[in-house]
């Protein structure tokens, strides 16, 4: 009787360990799959914002500091100012005019979304790890176009 009970307990432990192994493989794989899907949607919006900003700059000589203005000017679809999967949070947008080495004004802009915004609702530990890695390496913790510190011609940090 004791042997059967021990075998049952041992079988249960093996089953639990097997289930934990499966989950430990599935959760990161699922997170990566969902992250890629969400990043594609964010990149599509950032590409549209970049195009709208370039059109605005060609008209007014500088970048627009408000996404709603781009919408009002019909350069950007209204829904594009919102970060996908974020619950209607808007993309961050910064603009600045700096002098180049020759003293000429250069308009710069930066627009982005953080991991915590567009990965909202996914595995918190995975998001936290991503945030820690990028911040500790001095990298923007998400996706962005442009840079207000140096002219990168509004390149995306994924390109």
């Amino acid at each position: 009787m004791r042997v059967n009970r021990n075998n049952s307990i041992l079988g249960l432990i093996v089953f639990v360990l097997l289930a934990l192994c499966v989950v430990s493989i599935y959760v990161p794989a699922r997170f990566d799959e969902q992250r890629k899907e969400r990043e594609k949607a964010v990149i599509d919006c950032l590409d549209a914002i970049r195009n709208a900003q370039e059109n605005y700059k060609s008209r007014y000589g500088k970048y627009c500091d408000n996404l709603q203005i781009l919408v009002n000017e019909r350069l950007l679809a209204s829904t594009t100012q919102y970060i996908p999967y974020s619950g209607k949070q808007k993309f961050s947008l910064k603009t600045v005019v700096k002098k180049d080495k020759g003293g000429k004004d250069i308009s710069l802009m930066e627009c982005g979304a953080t991991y915590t915004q567009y990965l909202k609702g996914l595995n918190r530990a995975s998001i936290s790890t991503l945030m820690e890695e990028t911040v500790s390496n001095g990298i923007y913790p998400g996706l962005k176009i442009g840079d207000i510190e140096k002219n990168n011609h509004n390149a995306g940090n994924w390109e």
Side-chain angles (χ1 to χ4, degrees):
M1 185 80 155
R2 196 172 193 68
V3 173
N4 285 341
R5 185 173 181 211
N6 287 343
N7 285 342
S8 296
I9 292 172
L10 187 57
L12 181 62
I13 290 171
V14 168
F15 177 76
V16 168
L17 289 174
L18 182 62
L20 288 173
C21 287
V22 169
V23 168
S24 72
I25 294 168
Y26 176 77
V27 169
R30 180 75 176 132
F31 176 81
D32 289 342
E33 179 184 308
Q34 290 175 320
R35 176 184 170 194
K36 286 177 187 171
E37 178 183 317
R38 290 181 180 209
E39 286 185 344
K40 183 183 179 335
V42 172
I43 288 168
D44 288 346
C45 289
L46 287 171
D47 281 338
I49 291 169
R50 176 174 33 207
N51 290 335
Q53 283 284 31
E54 292 299 333
N55 287 330
Y56 185 91
K57 184 181 177 199
S58 70
R59 288 184 193 175
Y60 301 105
K62 65 178 184 173
Y63 291 112
C64 181
D65 62 358
N66 186 323
L67 294 173
Q68 187 59 49
I69 293 172
L70 296 175
V71 171
N72 293 345
E73 297 244 346
R74 298 176 193 240
L75 297 171
L76 188 67
S78 179
T79 56
T80 307
Q81 64 186 317
Y82 300 106
I83 302 165
Y85 305 98
S86 72
K88 286 243 178 187
Q89 293 181 46
K90 285 190 175 185
F91 283 93
S92 69
L93 178 63
K94 300 175 191 171
T95 62
V96 68
V97 176
K98 291 189 170 188
K99 301 273 185 200
D100 68 5
K101 292 177 183 174
K104 181 181 172 188
D105 285 344
I106 296 179
S107 183
L108 301 172
M109 72 100 180
E110 181 176 303
C111 183
T114 64
Y115 294 128
T116 54
Q117 291 174 308
Y118 67 84
L119 297 177
K120 184 178 181 177
L122 299 184
N123 183 280
R124 289 182 185 165
S126 297
I127 296 169
S128 181
T129 299
L130 255 160
M131 292 292 289
E132 289 171 17
E133 287 174 1
T134 53
V135 169
S136 68
N137 289 319
I139 300 170
Y140 182 81
L143 294 171
K144 74 170 188 160
I145 53 172
D147 193 311
I148 60 169
E149 298 301 320
K150 63 183 185 309
N151 189 4
N152 72 354
H153 305 287
N154 298 325
N157 63 349
W158 66 90
E159 297 175 311

